[in-house]
Amino acid sequence: MDYTLSEEQEQLRRLVEEFVGRDAKPYLDKHGREDFPWPLFRKLGELGLAAIPFPLAYGGGGLDYRCYALVLEELSRLGTALGSALAVHGLPQLILAKFGNEEQKQKYLPAMARAELLGAFALTEPHAGSDAQAIKTRAELRGDSYVLNGQKIWITHGGEADVYLVMAVTEKGLGAKGISAFIVEKGAPGLSFGKRERPMGLPHHTREVFFDDCVIPQANLVGNAGDGFKVAMTALDSGRITIAATSIGLAQQALDYALSYTLERTAFGKHIAEFQGIQFMLADMAAAVEAARCVMRKAAYLRDSGLPFNLEASMAKLLATDAAMKVTTDAVQIYGGYGTSEDYPVQELMREAKISQIVEGTNQIQRMVIARELLKKLRQ
Ligand SMILES: Cc1cc2nc3c(=O)[nH]c(=O)nc-3n(C[C@H](O)[C@H](O)[C@H](O)COP(=O)(O)OP(=O)(O)OC[C@H]3O[C@@H](n4cnc5c(N)ncnc54)[C@H](O)[C@@H]3O)c2cc1C
């Protein structure tokens, strides 16, 4: 395993840097971050960045997960929330690429790769987050349609997205084996959205999603009936690498801000960078980011090599998001009182880091996965 960037990876990194400097920063400076940045998302499609690890045959980039993770990390490091948006867009793409039939792949993947269609992943419900088997949204087969009833919460891109990968119960009493995965298109009868939720951190585009006798064609079932839980968990295994990547980018951004600030701010007649107490904080911050990056790259490498990777993916998610929490908190500390001000960026990064410890499986759930994998190996 090579930790240096290949020529191809370096070109990809430069492409992201140029996109952020030329397109993303000016757009976000002018329009703010309140609304979903559609022109930037479309531009990612034009640049071939909206489907990096998905098959060439369906318009994807055909590149590996290390390249994908690098792009997400850079988008996050450079201060756009586009890394997280791309990572969420990637979940339905991954599901369709792995479990979809030929017709579904042809219908959705090329348009999602061109960023003409935005994707969302809808699993969580008001009473069921970590315990995803406890979802209650029902999907009943009536004739050649499925009829969905229920409610999802915290759905990133809710109301914005065109394609929703929705987990719903097709057979009660079977737990995980009674859950199936469906494609629900925006505009389906009976599909509606709640008002924008307001989680802390960067502006998130999450909404409740309601299914009120929502009718979709039977052909929108993904995989077989009863596969839905497996489909969702498979997507989240890979998703953990991507959230690790965006969190590392976030942490690196906070570290970069803190480093610069220590050479600007003076106290007791010197730059605060001269104080050993500050230097030790910077050293610990940099070490935490680098350690998390190494584990994240290992998880991506294992995935790219066709080897089991879910242990390392959970470790990467845990380490990267905990590192992001620590590093962003220390960055606020280094900025002192200014660190708490909304006029400075680091407090927002700290609040965003907290979100990252909760989404796509909380860090308690990651520890459960890690322990389960360790014990499984011992029992074999
Ligand atoms: C900004 C944001 C975006 C999101 N986007 C999406 C999305 O696009 N799609 C989607 O489906 N969901 C999304 N979510 C939901 C997210 O995945 C859930 O919030 C998360 O899985 C936790 O579920 P919960 O909130 O119900 O917490 P709970 O499951 O109620 O957990 C509460 C606490 O109990 C702990 N806990 C639970 N079970 C155990 C256990 N067995 N052992 C130890 N501790 C435990 C948890 O770690 C947590 O600390 C998003 C959430 C946020 C905040």
Side-chain angles (χ1 to χ4, degrees):
M1 191 184 148
D2 188 351
Y3 285 96
T4 58
L5 294 189
S6 65
E7 186 50 37
E8 182 184 48
Q9 288 169 334
E10 183 49 34
Q11 276 175 12
L12 207 50
R13 201 197 60 71
R14 275 203 299 272
L15 180 68
V16 174
E17 208 166 49
E18 281 162 21
F19 159 73
V20 172
R22 188 190 55 230
D23 301 304
K25 283 268 188 224
Y27 178 89
L28 295 170
D29 286 349
K30 185 163 176 207
H31 298 277
R33 296 173 307 165
E34 187 56 19
D35 295 332
F36 186 77
W38 281 107
L40 297 182
F41 177 63
R42 304 272 194 239
K43 186 77 193 176
L44 287 171
E46 280 171 35
L47 292 172
L49 296 175
I52 293 163
F54 302 113
L56 283 167
Y58 303 101
L63 297 175
D64 60 26
Y65 246 64
R66 280 165 288 177
C67 289
Y68 185 31
L70 178 71
V71 167
L72 300 181
E73 182 184 334
E74 283 296 281
L75 284 169
S76 184
R77 177 181 74 83
L78 295 166
T80 76
L82 289 162
S84 305
L86 264 194
V88 172
H89 181 60
L91 291 175
Q93 288 176 295
L94 186 145
I95 289 172
L96 289 167
K98 196 167 170 67
F99 298 98
N101 60 34
E102 191 53 31
E103 201 179 319
Q104 292 167 340
K105 288 180 189 174
Q106 294 285 359
K107 183 168 180 194
Y108 298 105
L109 287 176
M112 292 176 91
R114 291 192 299 271
E116 289 165 11
L117 297 178
L118 173 66
F121 173 83
L123 175 64
T124 307
E125 301 189 358
H127 57 278
S130 305
D131 185 9
Q133 298 184 28
I135 61 168
K136 288 185 183 155
T137 295
R138 286 279 285 146
E140 281 178 76
L141 188 59
R142 291 189 205 156
D144 55 4
S145 301
Y146 274 101
V147 180
L148 275 65
N149 279 288
Q151 177 185 356
K152 301 286 178 183
I153 194 169
W154 298 119
I155 303 308
T156 301
H157 302 158
E160 305 286 346
D162 308 280
V163 183
Y164 296 80
L165 236 300
V166 178
M167 272 26 89
V169 176
T170 39
E171 195 157 347
K172 276 187 183 168
L174 290 185
K177 291 200 162 63
I179 294 173
S180 304
F182 298 93
I183 302 160
V184 180
E185 290 186 18
K186 190 174 186 179
L191 175 70
S192 64
F193 306 99
K195 67 174 176 16
R196 177 105 169 259
E197 291 154 339
R198 295 280 165 193
M200 63 186 177
L202 299 168
H204 287 267
H205 300 91
T206 74
R207 279 193 171 82
E208 283 178 287
V209 179
F210 301 104
F211 306 93
D212 192 6
D213 281 335
C214 173
V215 182
I216 58 167
Q218 185 179 2
N220 284 17
L221 173 70
V222 180
N224 297 315
D227 280 352
F229 192 75
K230 182 179 79 185
V231 165
M233 293 306 124
T234 303
L236 290 176
D237 277 345
S238 295
R240 281 162 192 158
I241 300 176
T242 65
I243 185 152
T246 56
S247 303
I248 290 161
L250 184 91
Q252 184 68 54
Q253 189 192 158
L255 173 59
D256 293 344
Y257 275 126
L259 274 168
S260 308
Y261 190 73
T262 61
L263 290 174
E264 289 165 21
R265 182 71 175 170
T266 54
F268 300 95
K270 9 170 145 161
H271 285 126
I272 60 171
E274 302 298 320
F275 302 126
Q276 196 179 50
I278 294 284
Q279 291 175 1
F280 280 12
M281 280 173 88
L282 293 172
D284 287 347
M285 290 158 80
V289 175
E290 194 55 25
R293 185 179 283 122
C294 288
V295 177
M296 181 273 287
R297 288 198 180 153
K298 180 176 178 192
Y301 164 82
L302 291 172
R303 191 188 187 284
D304 293 335
S305 310
L307 295 165
F309 65 93
N310 56 344
L311 172 67
E312 286 77 6
S314 278
M315 286 178 171
K317 198 271 179 183
L318 174 67
L319 291 170
T321 59
D322 282 358
M325 194 72 249
K326 177 186 162 38
V327 169
T328 55
T329 306
D330 287 352
V332 171
Q333 192 69 22
I334 286 173
Y335 270 71
Y338 294 111
T340 69
S341 163
E342 289 191 358
D343 295 335
Y344 289 79
V346 284
Q347 45 75 35
E348 188 182 55
L349 300 179
M350 184 179 87
R351 289 184 279 122
E352 181 64 18
K354 179 38 86 178
I355 295 264
S356 73
Q357 291 180 307
I358 292 169
V359 294
E360 294 207 20
T362 66
N363 284 5
Q364 285 77 22
I365 296 300
Q366 303 311 322
R367 289 182 173 91
M368 281 167 55
V369 173
I370 293 166
R372 190 182 63 210
E373 289 298 316
L374 293 174
L375 292 167
K376 197 160 79 186
K377 282 188 182 165
L378 205 65
R379 287 181 182 129
Q380 273 166 0

